Amino acid sequence: MSVEQKAAGKEEEGKLQKGIAEFYDESSGIWENIWGDHMHHGFYDPDSTVSVSDHRAAQIRMIQESLRFASLLSENPSKWPKSIVDVGCGIGGSSRYLAKKFGATSVGITLSPVQAQRANSLAAAQGLADKVSFEVADALKQPFPDGKFDLVWSMESGEHMPDKAKFVGELARVAAPGGTIIIVTWCHRDLGPDEQSLLPWEQDLLKKICDSYYLPAWCSTSDYVKLLESLSLQDIKSADWSPFVAPFWPAVIRTALTWNGLTSLLRSGLKTIKGASAMPLMIKGYKKDLIKFSIITCRKPE
């Protein structure tokens, strides 16, 4: 790669990071106002009828089911993680929940100064300031020493990472020996054995979503698994949880169309409005089996 190409790549990455930070600076307040402090999908029973009041409970279930999938719901406290990093922490919902559940210390990182400030305020209000902290940092260059955390948690942040290999490498670097890595993220479908790329219409749909949510190129679940394998991580497991999150985007659209949702959207800014307009595209991607809601977990060797 030439010097010019490297410079162009860094400039593009800088623009992406600025867009992500501004998008969440704008939109986090409206999300918290309507949906609470967990900025991620909920976990639902497939084909169930879901009431509006169930959505916040479903977001807690997403955390619980992710821990269960990674075999972290032990009754033995000695097996609980003591130190946690929340990579792409939003306003800190996961960090605070995990710190309370395990009696652990947790640090969250985000590109959004607004999110970090709000997350710290909520931690202080809940009496968790001595256990949980949040800072502005780049997930691709985490400000932590090697082997620091028993649990490395990434709940729906991987889709924002422009360099998936560097992202996974950083998750593995900061994980302690024997530590667990949990990645819950949006992926595109795995390619078939005779496919070199997604179909043109699939690429077009994902590009429209990328433009609205400040996402770089997508990858597949199998791409993540290969990256983890290349780092000699152990107990690698993955699953497609798309059926369990199906009610989520229709519910977000319904809440956006309430009076509170509409007035909040209009106050929030153009980036948030643009993101809201792309919600039907996410539903289409799921229905067409193009978008996969994936969980990938593994363990760092002792």
PDB file of all heavy atoms in Angstrom, residues 142-176:
ATOM      1  N   GLN A 142      -7.039   0.688  22.077  1.00  0.00           N
ATOM      2  CA  GLN A 142      -7.553   0.808  23.435  1.00  0.00           C
ATOM      3  C   GLN A 142      -6.446   1.231  24.409  1.00  0.00           C
ATOM      4  O   GLN A 142      -5.326   0.722  24.329  1.00  0.00           O
ATOM      5  CB  GLN A 142      -8.182  -0.515  23.872  1.00  0.00           C
ATOM      6  CG  GLN A 142      -9.412  -0.889  23.056  1.00  0.00           C
ATOM      7  CD  GLN A 142     -10.090  -2.149  23.554  1.00  0.00           C
ATOM      8  OE1 GLN A 142     -10.158  -2.409  24.750  1.00  0.00           O
ATOM      9  NE2 GLN A 142     -10.613  -2.941  22.627  1.00  0.00           N
ATOM     10  N   PRO A 143      -6.768   2.149  25.334  1.00  0.00           N
ATOM     11  CA  PRO A 143      -5.753   2.698  26.239  1.00  0.00           C
ATOM     12  C   PRO A 143      -5.500   1.828  27.463  1.00  0.00           C
ATOM     13  O   PRO A 143      -5.396   2.329  28.592  1.00  0.00           O
ATOM     14  CB  PRO A 143      -6.367   4.050  26.632  1.00  0.00           C
ATOM     15  CG  PRO A 143      -7.835   3.783  26.642  1.00  0.00           C
ATOM     16  CD  PRO A 143      -8.082   2.806  25.514  1.00  0.00           C
ATOM     17  N   PHE A 144      -5.417   0.509  27.253  1.00  0.00           N
ATOM     18  CA  PHE A 144      -5.266  -0.421  28.367  1.00  0.00           C
ATOM     19  C   PHE A 144      -4.061  -1.318  28.140  1.00  0.00           C
ATOM     20  O   PHE A 144      -3.716  -1.619  26.986  1.00  0.00           O
ATOM     21  CB  PHE A 144      -6.524  -1.285  28.520  1.00  0.00           C
ATOM     22  CG  PHE A 144      -7.810  -0.501  28.562  1.00  0.00           C
ATOM     23  CD1 PHE A 144      -8.792  -0.682  27.590  1.00  0.00           C
ATOM     24  CD2 PHE A 144      -8.044   0.424  29.563  1.00  0.00           C
ATOM     25  CE1 PHE A 144      -9.967   0.035  27.610  1.00  0.00           C
ATOM     26  CE2 PHE A 144      -9.222   1.154  29.601  1.00  0.00           C
ATOM     27  CZ  PHE A 144     -10.193   0.967  28.623  1.00  0.00           C
ATOM     28  N   PRO A 145      -3.450  -1.797  29.215  1.00  0.00           N
ATOM     29  CA  PRO A 145      -2.346  -2.754  29.056  1.00  0.00           C
ATOM     30  C   PRO A 145      -2.843  -4.120  28.595  1.00  0.00           C
ATOM     31  O   PRO A 145      -4.042  -4.421  28.685  1.00  0.00           O
ATOM     32  CB  PRO A 145      -1.745  -2.825  30.464  1.00  0.00           C
ATOM     33  CG  PRO A 145      -2.872  -2.455  31.380  1.00  0.00           C
ATOM     34  CD  PRO A 145      -3.709  -1.461  30.624  1.00  0.00           C
ATOM     35  N   ASP A 146      -1.933  -4.938  28.134  1.00  0.00           N
ATOM     36  CA  ASP A 146      -2.261  -6.304  27.721  1.00  0.00           C
ATOM     37  C   ASP A 146      -2.818  -7.091  28.902  1.00  0.00           C
ATOM     38  O   ASP A 146      -2.390  -6.909  30.052  1.00  0.00           O
ATOM     39  CB  ASP A 146      -1.012  -7.031  27.199  1.00  0.00           C
ATOM     40  CG  ASP A 146      -0.432  -6.392  25.943  1.00  0.00           C
ATOM     41  OD1 ASP A 146      -1.032  -5.420  25.438  1.00  0.00           O
ATOM     42  OD2 ASP A 146       0.615  -6.868  25.469  1.00  0.00           O
ATOM     43  N   GLY A 147      -3.779  -7.969  28.610  1.00  0.00           N
ATOM     44  CA  GLY A 147      -4.226  -8.946  29.596  1.00  0.00           C
ATOM     45  C   GLY A 147      -4.902  -8.377  30.823  1.00  0.00           C
ATOM     46  O   GLY A 147      -4.790  -8.942  31.918  1.00  0.00           O
ATOM     47  N   LYS A 148      -5.647  -7.292  30.673  1.00  0.00           N
ATOM     48  CA  LYS A 148      -6.196  -6.599  31.850  1.00  0.00           C
ATOM     49  C   LYS A 148      -7.566  -7.100  32.304  1.00  0.00           C
ATOM     50  O   LYS A 148      -7.904  -7.044  33.477  1.00  0.00           O
ATOM     51  CB  LYS A 148      -6.284  -5.089  31.552  1.00  0.00           C
ATOM     52  CG  LYS A 148      -6.783  -4.259  32.724  1.00  0.00           C
ATOM     53  CD  LYS A 148      -6.665  -2.782  32.441  1.00  0.00           C
ATOM     54  CE  LYS A 148      -7.268  -1.925  33.565  1.00  0.00           C
ATOM     55  NZ  LYS A 148      -6.564  -2.113  34.838  1.00  0.00           N
ATOM     56  N   PHE A 149      -8.407  -7.624  31.373  1.00  0.00           N
ATOM     57  CA  PHE A 149      -9.821  -7.837  31.693  1.00  0.00           C
ATOM     58  C   PHE A 149     -10.222  -9.306  31.611  1.00  0.00           C
ATOM     59  O   PHE A 149      -9.906 -10.005  30.655  1.00  0.00           O
ATOM     60  CB  PHE A 149     -10.698  -7.022  30.739  1.00  0.00           C
ATOM     61  CG  PHE A 149     -10.437  -5.539  30.793  1.00  0.00           C
ATOM     62  CD1 PHE A 149      -9.707  -4.915  29.791  1.00  0.00           C
ATOM     63  CD2 PHE A 149     -10.916  -4.783  31.856  1.00  0.00           C
ATOM     64  CE1 PHE A 149      -9.453  -3.561  29.841  1.00  0.00           C
ATOM     65  CE2 PHE A 149     -10.664  -3.420  31.912  1.00  0.00           C
ATOM     66  CZ  PHE A 149      -9.927  -2.801  30.904  1.00  0.00           C
ATOM     67  N   ASP A 150     -11.008  -9.738  32.625  1.00  0.00           N
ATOM     68  CA  ASP A 150     -11.537 -11.116  32.629  1.00  0.00           C
ATOM     69  C   ASP A 150     -12.656 -11.288  31.606  1.00  0.00           C
ATOM     70  O   ASP A 150     -12.871 -12.383  31.098  1.00  0.00           O
ATOM     71  CB  ASP A 150     -12.112 -11.460  34.011  1.00  0.00           C
ATOM     72  CG  ASP A 150     -11.087 -11.344  35.114  1.00  0.00           C
ATOM     73  OD1 ASP A 150      -9.924 -11.704  34.879  1.00  0.00           O
ATOM     74  OD2 ASP A 150     -11.456 -10.869  36.209  1.00  0.00           O
ATOM     75  N   LEU A 151     -13.401 -10.197  31.356  1.00  0.00           N
ATOM     76  CA  LEU A 151     -14.483 -10.236  30.382  1.00  0.00           C
ATOM     77  C   LEU A 151     -14.350  -9.039  29.447  1.00  0.00           C
ATOM     78  O   LEU A 151     -14.332  -7.888  29.896  1.00  0.00           O
ATOM     79  CB  LEU A 151     -15.854 -10.202  31.071  1.00  0.00           C
ATOM     80  CG  LEU A 151     -17.081 -10.063  30.153  1.00  0.00           C
ATOM     81  CD1 LEU A 151     -17.145 -11.198  29.125  1.00  0.00           C
ATOM     82  CD2 LEU A 151     -18.377 -10.021  30.976  1.00  0.00           C
ATOM     83  N   VAL A 152     -14.248  -9.328  28.163  1.00  0.00           N
ATOM     84  CA  VAL A 152     -14.218  -8.292  27.133  1.00  0.00           C
ATOM     85  C   VAL A 152     -15.568  -8.339  26.424  1.00  0.00           C
ATOM     86  O   VAL A 152     -15.901  -9.337  25.775  1.00  0.00           O
ATOM     87  CB  VAL A 152     -13.054  -8.521  26.145  1.00  0.00           C
ATOM     88  CG1 VAL A 152     -13.063  -7.467  25.054  1.00  0.00           C
ATOM     89  CG2 VAL A 152     -11.715  -8.503  26.894  1.00  0.00           C
ATOM     90  N   TRP A 153     -16.329  -7.284  26.557  1.00  0.00           N
ATOM     91  CA  TRP A 153     -17.739  -7.242  26.155  1.00  0.00           C
ATOM     92  C   TRP A 153     -17.914  -6.246  25.012  1.00  0.00           C
ATOM     93  O   TRP A 153     -17.563  -5.076  25.149  1.00  0.00           O
ATOM     94  CB  TRP A 153     -18.566  -6.832  27.370  1.00  0.00           C
ATOM     95  CG  TRP A 153     -20.038  -6.638  27.177  1.00  0.00           C
ATOM     96  CD1 TRP A 153     -20.689  -5.491  26.821  1.00  0.00           C
ATOM     97  CD2 TRP A 153     -21.073  -7.612  27.381  1.00  0.00           C
ATOM     98  NE1 TRP A 153     -22.054  -5.689  26.782  1.00  0.00           N
ATOM     99  CE2 TRP A 153     -22.313  -6.988  27.129  1.00  0.00           C
ATOM    100  CE3 TRP A 153     -21.060  -8.959  27.753  1.00  0.00           C
ATOM    101  CZ2 TRP A 153     -23.522  -7.654  27.233  1.00  0.00           C
ATOM    102  CZ3 TRP A 153     -22.272  -9.622  27.864  1.00  0.00           C
ATOM    103  CH2 TRP A 153     -23.489  -8.982  27.601  1.00  0.00           C
ATOM    104  N   SER A 154     -18.452  -6.703  23.905  1.00  0.00           N
ATOM    105  CA  SER A 154     -18.744  -5.803  22.778  1.00  0.00           C
ATOM    106  C   SER A 154     -20.170  -6.076  22.311  1.00  0.00           C
ATOM    107  O   SER A 154     -20.425  -7.009  21.562  1.00  0.00           O
ATOM    108  CB  SER A 154     -17.752  -6.027  21.631  1.00  0.00           C
ATOM    109  OG  SER A 154     -18.152  -5.290  20.485  1.00  0.00           O
ATOM    110  N   MET A 155     -21.092  -5.237  22.785  1.00  0.00           N
ATOM    111  CA  MET A 155     -22.508  -5.400  22.449  1.00  0.00           C
ATOM    112  C   MET A 155     -22.880  -4.410  21.348  1.00  0.00           C
ATOM    113  O   MET A 155     -23.031  -3.217  21.591  1.00  0.00           O
ATOM    114  CB  MET A 155     -23.364  -5.170  23.699  1.00  0.00           C
ATOM    115  CG  MET A 155     -24.877  -5.183  23.471  1.00  0.00           C
ATOM    116  SD  MET A 155     -25.541  -6.741  22.818  1.00  0.00           S
ATOM    117  CE  MET A 155     -25.370  -7.834  24.243  1.00  0.00           C
ATOM    118  N   GLU A 156     -22.965  -4.899  20.132  1.00  0.00           N
ATOM    119  CA  GLU A 156     -23.381  -4.111  18.977  1.00  0.00           C
ATOM    120  C   GLU A 156     -22.493  -2.871  18.760  1.00  0.00           C
ATOM    121  O   GLU A 156     -22.978  -1.763  18.606  1.00  0.00           O
ATOM    122  CB  GLU A 156     -24.857  -3.708  19.096  1.00  0.00           C
ATOM    123  CG  GLU A 156     -25.782  -4.911  19.048  1.00  0.00           C
ATOM    124  CD  GLU A 156     -27.248  -4.532  18.952  1.00  0.00           C
ATOM    125  OE1 GLU A 156     -27.607  -3.762  18.037  1.00  0.00           O
ATOM    126  OE2 GLU A 156     -28.043  -5.004  19.792  1.00  0.00           O
ATOM    127  N   SER A 157     -21.193  -3.116  18.752  1.00  0.00           N
ATOM    128  CA  SER A 157     -20.255  -2.061  18.361  1.00  0.00           C
ATOM    129  C   SER A 157     -19.363  -2.493  17.206  1.00  0.00           C
ATOM    130  O   SER A 157     -18.834  -1.655  16.480  1.00  0.00           O
ATOM    131  CB  SER A 157     -19.390  -1.636  19.556  1.00  0.00           C
ATOM    132  OG  SER A 157     -18.588  -2.711  20.020  1.00  0.00           O
ATOM    133  N   GLY A 158     -19.215  -3.804  17.006  1.00  0.00           N
ATOM    134  CA  GLY A 158     -18.330  -4.304  15.955  1.00  0.00           C
ATOM    135  C   GLY A 158     -18.692  -3.816  14.566  1.00  0.00           C
ATOM    136  O   GLY A 158     -17.823  -3.619  13.715  1.00  0.00           O
ATOM    137  N   GLU A 159     -19.993  -3.576  14.333  1.00  0.00           N
ATOM    138  CA  GLU A 159     -20.425  -3.127  13.005  1.00  0.00           C
ATOM    139  C   GLU A 159     -19.865  -1.747  12.666  1.00  0.00           C
ATOM    140  O   GLU A 159     -19.780  -1.376  11.485  1.00  0.00           O
ATOM    141  CB  GLU A 159     -21.949  -3.118  12.899  1.00  0.00           C
ATOM    142  CG  GLU A 159     -22.676  -2.342  13.964  1.00  0.00           C
ATOM    143  CD  GLU A 159     -23.038  -3.175  15.181  1.00  0.00           C
ATOM    144  OE1 GLU A 159     -22.456  -4.267  15.383  1.00  0.00           O
ATOM    145  OE2 GLU A 159     -23.891  -2.712  15.954  1.00  0.00           O
ATOM    146  N   HIS A 160     -19.445  -0.980  13.675  1.00  0.00           N
ATOM    147  CA  HIS A 160     -18.881   0.347  13.429  1.00  0.00           C
ATOM    148  C   HIS A 160     -17.375   0.308  13.153  1.00  0.00           C
ATOM    149  O   HIS A 160     -16.794   1.345  12.823  1.00  0.00           O
ATOM    150  CB  HIS A 160     -19.118   1.258  14.640  1.00  0.00           C
ATOM    151  CG  HIS A 160     -20.509   1.791  14.736  1.00  0.00           C
ATOM    152  ND1 HIS A 160     -21.067   2.604  13.774  1.00  0.00           N
ATOM    153  CD2 HIS A 160     -21.466   1.630  15.694  1.00  0.00           C
ATOM    154  CE1 HIS A 160     -22.291   2.933  14.135  1.00  0.00           C
ATOM    155  NE2 HIS A 160     -22.567   2.353  15.287  1.00  0.00           N
ATOM    156  N   MET A 161     -16.746  -0.844  13.289  1.00  0.00           N
ATOM    157  CA  MET A 161     -15.284  -0.918  13.208  1.00  0.00           C
ATOM    158  C   MET A 161     -14.808  -1.051  11.760  1.00  0.00           C
ATOM    159  O   MET A 161     -15.142  -2.021  11.081  1.00  0.00           O
ATOM    160  CB  MET A 161     -14.757  -2.095  14.032  1.00  0.00           C
ATOM    161  CG  MET A 161     -15.228  -2.088  15.473  1.00  0.00           C
ATOM    162  SD  MET A 161     -14.708  -0.608  16.370  1.00  0.00           S
ATOM    163  CE  MET A 161     -15.769  -0.715  17.825  1.00  0.00           C
ATOM    164  N   PRO A 162     -13.987  -0.098  11.281  1.00  0.00           N
ATOM    165  CA  PRO A 162     -13.547  -0.160   9.881  1.00  0.00           C
ATOM    166  C   PRO A 162     -12.515  -1.246   9.613  1.00  0.00           C
ATOM    167  O   PRO A 162     -12.359  -1.681   8.475  1.00  0.00           O
ATOM    168  CB  PRO A 162     -12.948   1.231   9.642  1.00  0.00           C
ATOM    169  CG  PRO A 162     -12.562   1.723  10.992  1.00  0.00           C
ATOM    170  CD  PRO A 162     -13.543   1.132  11.959  1.00  0.00           C
ATOM    171  N   ASP A 163     -11.805  -1.663  10.646  1.00  0.00           N
ATOM    172  CA  ASP A 163     -10.780  -2.706  10.485  1.00  0.00           C
ATOM    173  C   ASP A 163     -11.113  -3.826  11.463  1.00  0.00           C
ATOM    174  O   ASP A 163     -10.773  -3.771  12.640  1.00  0.00           O
ATOM    175  CB  ASP A 163      -9.391  -2.118  10.763  1.00  0.00           C
ATOM    176  CG  ASP A 163      -8.256  -3.091  10.460  1.00  0.00           C
ATOM    177  OD1 ASP A 163      -8.475  -4.309  10.571  1.00  0.00           O
ATOM    178  OD2 ASP A 163      -7.151  -2.611  10.117  1.00  0.00           O
ATOM    179  N   LYS A 164     -11.800  -4.854  10.959  1.00  0.00           N
ATOM    180  CA  LYS A 164     -12.277  -5.917  11.842  1.00  0.00           C
ATOM    181  C   LYS A 164     -11.112  -6.713  12.441  1.00  0.00           C
ATOM    182  O   LYS A 164     -11.183  -7.158  13.586  1.00  0.00           O
ATOM    183  CB  LYS A 164     -13.224  -6.854  11.077  1.00  0.00           C
ATOM    184  CG  LYS A 164     -14.489  -6.190  10.504  1.00  0.00           C
ATOM    185  CD  LYS A 164     -15.403  -5.634  11.571  1.00  0.00           C
ATOM    186  CE  LYS A 164     -16.784  -5.246  11.048  1.00  0.00           C
ATOM    187  NZ  LYS A 164     -16.796  -4.014  10.260  1.00  0.00           N
ATOM    188  N   ALA A 165     -10.028  -6.886  11.672  1.00  0.00           N
ATOM    189  CA  ALA A 165      -8.877  -7.635  12.192  1.00  0.00           C
ATOM    190  C   ALA A 165      -8.241  -6.880  13.358  1.00  0.00           C
ATOM    191  O   ALA A 165      -7.888  -7.475  14.391  1.00  0.00           O
ATOM    192  CB  ALA A 165      -7.854  -7.864  11.081  1.00  0.00           C
ATOM    193  N   LYS A 166      -8.102  -5.572  13.223  1.00  0.00           N
ATOM    194  CA  LYS A 166      -7.521  -4.767  14.301  1.00  0.00           C
ATOM    195  C   LYS A 166      -8.461  -4.754  15.510  1.00  0.00           C
ATOM    196  O   LYS A 166      -8.008  -4.826  16.657  1.00  0.00           O
ATOM    197  CB  LYS A 166      -7.273  -3.340  13.807  1.00  0.00           C
ATOM    198  CG  LYS A 166      -6.399  -2.509  14.734  1.00  0.00           C
ATOM    199  CD  LYS A 166      -6.236  -1.087  14.228  1.00  0.00           C
ATOM    200  CE  LYS A 166      -5.344  -1.011  13.014  1.00  0.00           C
ATOM    201  NZ  LYS A 166      -5.063   0.421  12.657  1.00  0.00           N
ATOM    202  N   PHE A 167      -9.757  -4.681  15.254  1.00  0.00           N
ATOM    203  CA  PHE A 167     -10.761  -4.701  16.319  1.00  0.00           C
ATOM    204  C   PHE A 167     -10.657  -5.985  17.133  1.00  0.00           C
ATOM    205  O   PHE A 167     -10.515  -5.957  18.368  1.00  0.00           O
ATOM    206  CB  PHE A 167     -12.148  -4.562  15.695  1.00  0.00           C
ATOM    207  CG  PHE A 167     -13.312  -4.822  16.617  1.00  0.00           C
ATOM    208  CD1 PHE A 167     -13.460  -4.127  17.802  1.00  0.00           C
ATOM    209  CD2 PHE A 167     -14.283  -5.763  16.267  1.00  0.00           C
ATOM    210  CE1 PHE A 167     -14.540  -4.368  18.644  1.00  0.00           C
ATOM    211  CE2 PHE A 167     -15.359  -6.003  17.095  1.00  0.00           C
ATOM    212  CZ  PHE A 167     -15.487  -5.307  18.284  1.00  0.00           C
ATOM    213  N   VAL A 168     -10.691  -7.123  16.453  1.00  0.00           N
ATOM    214  CA  VAL A 168     -10.615  -8.412  17.146  1.00  0.00           C
ATOM    215  C   VAL A 168      -9.258  -8.568  17.832  1.00  0.00           C
ATOM    216  O   VAL A 168      -9.169  -9.090  18.954  1.00  0.00           O
ATOM    217  CB  VAL A 168     -10.873  -9.562  16.148  1.00  0.00           C
ATOM    218  CG1 VAL A 168     -10.546 -10.905  16.770  1.00  0.00           C
ATOM    219  CG2 VAL A 168     -12.334  -9.543  15.690  1.00  0.00           C
ATOM    220  N   GLY A 169      -8.206  -8.083  17.185  1.00  0.00           N
ATOM    221  CA  GLY A 169      -6.879  -8.148  17.789  1.00  0.00           C
ATOM    222  C   GLY A 169      -6.805  -7.388  19.103  1.00  0.00           C
ATOM    223  O   GLY A 169      -6.184  -7.849  20.079  1.00  0.00           O
ATOM    224  N   GLU A 170      -7.459  -6.218  19.169  1.00  0.00           N
ATOM    225  CA  GLU A 170      -7.479  -5.434  20.400  1.00  0.00           C
ATOM    226  C   GLU A 170      -8.317  -6.117  21.485  1.00  0.00           C
ATOM    227  O   GLU A 170      -7.955  -6.096  22.666  1.00  0.00           O
ATOM    228  CB  GLU A 170      -8.013  -4.027  20.131  1.00  0.00           C
ATOM    229  CG  GLU A 170      -6.977  -3.075  19.586  1.00  0.00           C
ATOM    230  CD  GLU A 170      -5.920  -2.743  20.633  1.00  0.00           C
ATOM    231  OE1 GLU A 170      -6.090  -1.789  21.409  1.00  0.00           O
ATOM    232  OE2 GLU A 170      -4.904  -3.482  20.681  1.00  0.00           O
ATOM    233  N   LEU A 171      -9.440  -6.716  21.092  1.00  0.00           N
ATOM    234  CA  LEU A 171     -10.241  -7.455  22.073  1.00  0.00           C
ATOM    235  C   LEU A 171      -9.409  -8.571  22.699  1.00  0.00           C
ATOM    236  O   LEU A 171      -9.439  -8.779  23.922  1.00  0.00           O
ATOM    237  CB  LEU A 171     -11.490  -8.047  21.413  1.00  0.00           C
ATOM    238  CG  LEU A 171     -12.494  -7.084  20.778  1.00  0.00           C
ATOM    239  CD1 LEU A 171     -13.697  -7.867  20.243  1.00  0.00           C
ATOM    240  CD2 LEU A 171     -12.956  -6.007  21.751  1.00  0.00           C
ATOM    241  N   ALA A 172      -8.668  -9.283  21.856  1.00  0.00           N
ATOM    242  CA  ALA A 172      -7.837 -10.389  22.359  1.00  0.00           C
ATOM    243  C   ALA A 172      -6.666  -9.866  23.190  1.00  0.00           C
ATOM    244  O   ALA A 172      -6.300 -10.468  24.206  1.00  0.00           O
ATOM    245  CB  ALA A 172      -7.320 -11.219  21.182  1.00  0.00           C
ATOM    246  N   ARG A 173      -6.085  -8.746  22.790  1.00  0.00           N
ATOM    247  CA  ARG A 173      -4.923  -8.205  23.506  1.00  0.00           C
ATOM    248  C   ARG A 173      -5.262  -7.832  24.944  1.00  0.00           C
ATOM    249  O   ARG A 173      -4.506  -8.134  25.869  1.00  0.00           O
ATOM    250  CB  ARG A 173      -4.385  -6.980  22.765  1.00  0.00           C
ATOM    251  CG  ARG A 173      -3.145  -6.363  23.418  1.00  0.00           C
ATOM    252  CD  ARG A 173      -2.697  -5.100  22.725  1.00  0.00           C
ATOM    253  NE  ARG A 173      -3.624  -3.979  22.886  1.00  0.00           N
ATOM    254  CZ  ARG A 173      -3.727  -3.224  23.989  1.00  0.00           C
ATOM    255  NH1 ARG A 173      -2.971  -3.482  25.062  1.00  0.00           N
ATOM    256  NH2 ARG A 173      -4.589  -2.215  24.042  1.00  0.00           N
ATOM    257  N   VAL A 174      -6.407  -7.152  25.132  1.00  0.00           N
ATOM    258  CA  VAL A 174      -6.733  -6.679  26.489  1.00  0.00           C
ATOM    259  C   VAL A 174      -7.376  -7.755  27.356  1.00  0.00           C
ATOM    260  O   VAL A 174      -7.547  -7.561  28.565  1.00  0.00           O
ATOM    261  CB  VAL A 174      -7.631  -5.416  26.443  1.00  0.00           C
ATOM    262  CG1 VAL A 174      -6.933  -4.300  25.684  1.00  0.00           C
ATOM    263  CG2 VAL A 174      -9.005  -5.719  25.857  1.00  0.00           C
ATOM    264  N   ALA A 175      -7.759  -8.895  26.753  1.00  0.00           N
ATOM    265  CA  ALA A 175      -8.330  -9.993  27.541  1.00  0.00           C
ATOM    266  C   ALA A 175      -7.240 -10.647  28.386  1.00  0.00           C
ATOM    267  O   ALA A 175      -6.114 -10.866  27.928  1.00  0.00           O
ATOM    268  CB  ALA A 175      -8.964 -11.033  26.613  1.00  0.00           C
ATOM    269  N   ALA A 176      -7.578 -10.958  29.623  1.00  0.00           N
ATOM    270  CA  ALA A 176      -6.643 -11.662  30.503  1.00  0.00           C
ATOM    271  C   ALA A 176      -6.531 -13.120  30.076  1.00  0.00           C
ATOM    272  O   ALA A 176      -7.465 -13.674  29.468  1.00  0.00           O
ATOM    273  CB  ALA A 176      -7.135 -11.571  31.949  1.00  0.00           C
TER     274      ALA A 176
END
